[in-house]
Amino acid sequence: MKISRNWLQTYFKDPLPSSDEIRELFIFHSYEVEGIDIIGDDSVFDLSILPNRAHDSLSHIGVAKELASLLPREMILSSLGDAKRLNEDTEAFVSFKVEDSGIASRAMKWYVQDVKVGDSPKWLVDYLVSVGQRSINNIVDATNYIMLETGQPVHAFNYDAIAGANIKNITIRFAHDGEKVTLLDGKEIALDGAIPVIADDNGPLDIAGIKGGMKSGINQNTKRILLSACSFDSKIIRRASKKLGMRTDASVRFGHDLSPWLAGLAIERLAQLISSISGGVIAKFPIDIYPLKDRAYKIGTSLTEVNSLLGSDLTTDEIGNTFRRQRFDFEIVEPRLRVLETARAAIGKPYKLGASVTNDAPSLFDCSSLVAYAYKEAGISVPRISVDQFV
C-alpha cells in the first residue's frame, strides 16, 4: 500500500516527524516498510500490509490512526467541503433494492445533479499521482481518493445512462446465466449465477464489488450522477474475483471483510468532495438499505490484564488516551454492577427463540442471548455454547 506523508499530514494539526522517524515507528510497531519514494515535496511509504490488518490499514485514515497512537498525537478528520443539497431525497429519483440480502449487508445510493465534469484540483491530482494513480476527471478522481482515504470502495454511475425515465430502477442481484457486461476497459465479460451485479431494467451495469461498467461510465457530458457505497460479502467477492480472474483494488478490499460502518463514512465524504469540486447538488438524504444494522461491538479488558500481557506499567489514564487517539469510544465500568443493570433493564422485553445479540438485543431476547448480552455490555465475552452461562 502506497501511503503519502503529505496526505497523512492532513489528519494532524502539528507537523509530523521526519519520514525516517515515521519509518522507524512503522517498522518496530506496525508494518514492514518496503521503501520510501520521494515524489516532488512528498515522501511516499510503500507499506507491506498483512492480511490481518488489511480491513483497516489499506487506507490513509487507517494508517493515520495507527500513527496517532504511536506518536502519540491527536488525529483529526476535517470536512472535504460543504455539500449543496436539494430539497428532495434520493428516493425521488431512484428505486433501489437488494434482491439477495446475502450479497450486501449494507447498500447506499445518493443522487447528485448539476455536476460539471472536468479536471481535478491540483491538490487532488498530486495526492493521487503520489500513490501511483492516474488522474482521469474530477468525478472519477474523487471516487479513487475516497477509496484510498477510507479503505471503502465507492463508485459514481452516470445517472442518465441508466435505464428508465423519471425513476431509475436499480437492483443488486446475482447475474443471470448468459448475461454480459462491458467493463470500463472495453472488455466484454460473460456472467453466470455466481457473479454479483448492480443492474438496471436492461441488465448489469457493473460487476458488483469488482469493476465498473462502460454503459454507466462518467464522461464529459455527464450532468447527473448516482453515488454508490456498499458492504459486499467478502466470500462472494473473493469467489467471483477468482472465477473471473479479475483482481482489482476494490475486490482486494472487499475480500477482507470491511465494516458496514465504512460505507456511511465513505459516501458522506464522497458527496462532500464531489459537491465541492464539481459544483454538484446532492439529494437531501441517500437511500440506505441496512436491514440487520450492527450495533457497536464491545470488548473489555482490565488494567491488570493489559500490563500483564504487555509487560508494562501503564495507568488507566494512559490507556484511555491511547483509545482516544485511535478514535475508540470507551467507558470504565464495574462489571458486576453493569451485568445487573443490563439484566434488570431487560425485564418485560419479549422472548424470541434464537434471538441475536447483535441484531435483536436489547429489544428481544432468549435466555442465552440475555446472558451473552448482559456480560458483553460489561466487557466480558461469554460464548453462548458454554457452561459459564449456567454458572
Side-chain angles (χ1 to χ4, degrees):
M1 174 72 184
K2 301 282 189 179
I3 296 291
S4 159
R5 184 183 182 279
N6 286 353
W7 194 336
L8 287 179
Q9 180 65 70
T10 64
Y11 305 115
F12 299 92
K13 289 182 179 179
D14 297 326
L16 290 174
S18 70
S19 298
D20 286 338
E21 291 176 270
I22 295 174
R23 175 180 177 274
E24 293 298 308
L25 285 172
F26 285 154
I27 288 175
F28 286 104
H29 296 279
S30 307
Y31 318 110
E32 290 287 340
V33 180
E34 301 292 339
I36 302 177
D37 297 323
I38 306 301
I39 300 178
D41 66 347
D42 198 2
S43 298
V44 178
F45 302 93
D46 186 2
L47 303 183
S48 177
I49 308 296
L50 295 177
N52 66 317
R53 294 299 308 275
H55 66 285
D56 71 291
S57 293
L58 290 177
S59 69
H60 279 75
I61 286 179
V63 174
K65 287 174 67 175
E66 189 75 13
L67 194 56
S69 180
L70 296 174
L71 283 173
R73 192 169 295 178
E74 293 294 327
M75 178 188 167
I76 58 174
L77 191 59
S78 301
S79 170
L80 292 175
D82 295 324
K84 295 174 286 186
R85 295 180 185 260
L86 299 168
N87 290 325
E88 297 93 347
D89 292 342
T90 300
E91 289 178 338
F93 306 92
V94 174
S95 174
F96 179 41
K97 66 179 180 179
V98 180
E99 195 171 276
D100 188 325
S101 60
I103 300 175
S105 57
R106 186 179 190 184
M108 304 182 72
K109 296 286 182 284
W110 208 336
Y111 171 80
V112 186
Q113 68 181 35
D114 299 331
V115 301
K116 295 180 178 62
V117 179
D119 294 336
S120 294
K122 184 177 184 303
W123 68 264
L124 178 53
V125 174
D126 288 347
Y127 284 149
L128 292 177
V129 170
S130 71
V131 295
Q133 293 281 330
R134 180 172 60 91
S135 176
I136 299 173
N137 59 54
N138 52 355
I139 305 301
V140 175
D141 289 356
T143 63
N144 287 332
Y145 177 90
I146 293 300
M147 180 185 70
L148 294 168
E149 181 191 56
T150 66
Q152 165 73 46
V154 291
H155 191 65
F157 294 93
N158 184 343
Y159 178 85
D160 290 304
I162 301 171
N166 296 325
I167 299 290
K168 311 290 186 175
N169 297 316
I170 305 291
T171 304
I172 294 179
R173 59 173 172 82
F174 284 108
H176 304 143
D177 288 344
E179 283 188 314
K180 295 180 180 180
V181 63
T182 301
L183 301 179
L184 288 169
D185 59 9
K187 185 177 181 181
E188 186 179 69
I189 300 293
L191 308 172
D192 61 32
I195 309 301
V197 296
I198 298 178
D200 64 10
D201 288 339
N202 292 338
L205 297 171
D206 71 5
I207 301 176
I210 299 178
K211 200 168 182 67
M214 180 178 289
K215 173 187 172 183
S216 57
I218 305 298
N219 59 59
Q220 295 297 316
N221 299 317
T222 299
K223 301 299 180 185
R224 300 192 288 178
I225 60 177
L226 188 65
L227 308 182
S228 176
C230 303
S231 296
F232 292 114
D233 180 84
S234 59
K235 296 184 291 297
I236 290 174
I237 298 302
R238 286 198 302 269
R239 285 197 293 262
S241 177
K242 184 177 181 180
K243 185 169 188 176
L244 295 171
M246 196 178 298
R247 190 172 188 269
T248 63
D249 287 339
S251 68
V252 168
R253 286 168 171 80
F254 282 126
H256 285 97
D257 202 14
L258 299 178
S259 167
W261 172 82
L262 272 179
L265 171 69
I267 202 168
E268 179 68 37
R269 291 182 69 76
L270 178 61
Q272 291 173 3
L273 180 56
I274 281 183
S275 181
S276 173
I277 66 176
S278 78
V281 183
I282 69 174
K284 187 183 295 184
F285 296 111
I287 296 175
D288 188 359
I289 298 177
Y290 199 179
L292 295 176
K293 188 173 182 178
D294 288 339
R295 293 180 175 86
Y297 185 80
K298 295 184 178 181
I299 59 174
T301 189
S302 68
L303 184 63
T304 301
E305 185 178 19
V306 169
N307 284 326
S308 175
L309 181 65
L310 299 180
S312 57
D313 191 25
L314 296 170
T315 65
T316 300
D317 286 344
E318 287 172 326
I319 294 174
N321 288 334
T322 299
F323 289 155
R324 290 186 189 95
R325 287 191 294 270
Q326 288 279 347
R327 304 175 72 84
F328 292 146
D329 294 327
F330 72 95
E331 57 181 328
I332 299 173
V333 301
E334 168 53 55
R336 180 182 295 273
L337 295 179
R338 179 55 60 88
V339 168
L340 294 176
E341 289 170 2
T342 305
R344 289 192 183 104
I347 292 173
K349 295 293 176 69
Y351 177 91
K352 175 187 175 183
L353 182 63
S356 163
V357 173
T358 303
N359 301 122
D360 294 319
S363 301
L364 302 169
F365 292 103
D366 63 11
C367 301
S368 293
S369 71
L370 174 59
V371 174
Y373 180 74
Y375 276 85
K376 180 179 78 72
E377 290 297 293
I380 300 171
S381 176
V382 181
R384 293 185 65 162
I385 303 175
S386 170
V387 71
D388 294 343
Q389 288 213 358
F390 294 98
V391 176

